[in-house]
Amino acid sequence: MKTITLLLLLAFSSTFAQNKFITKTGVINFEASVPSFEEVAATNESVTAIVNTENGEIAALALVKGFRFKNALMEEHFNENYAESDKFPKATFKGKIEDFSLEKNENTYLLNGELSFHGKTKEIENIKVKTSVVGDKIILTGEFLTKASDFDIEIPKIVSNKITEDITITFQFELVKK
């Protein structure tokens, strides 16, 4: 994890000069549940994210094996059969928060960028991102929908009535100045 974090920081160090905010404890949740069946949801609480407050550029990295499910067997199936986390160990997002500014304590912006997961990259557009400035921290929260098929993840017919194709992803990053 330290190596990946270091590489992420080095890759963006020239872009993110002195106005960068970072977290290593960001939270990403996803849910692909179908009503009346067992919840298909997971949380990763060790996401690294960096924001450049001068231009709104953002980058995030999550280790796929960091997603935790309520059911250990479901977590195992996710890592082995769906995400193939040994083959595709990380998920990344690179993008820009449009017209980002720290002048207001609370604001809503649009986020555009590229989400990479399971060896595929997809453009993600017009995600509403809420920001709060609390002391020396920036809190970013947002939610968007994507599809399993966008990342070449096939849901077997035997469980297709228990797992939805549409996946809701939420995130919360509490970033501090570096």
Side-chain angles (χ1 to χ4, degrees), residues 64-100:
V64 177
K65 285 188 178 181
F67 283 98
R68 298 290 173 246
F69 292 75
K70 289 181 182 177
N71 178 322
L73 184 58
M74 195 178 291
E75 187 171 316
E76 182 180 328
H77 285 219
F78 169 77
N79 281 302
E80 291 178 6
N81 303 326
Y82 298 98
E84 299 177 275
S85 56
D86 285 336
K87 187 175 179 182
F88 306 106
K90 60 186 176 179
T92 61
F93 180 86
K94 295 177 189 174
K96 184 172 181 176
I97 303 168
E98 301 301 327
D99 303 318
F100 184 76

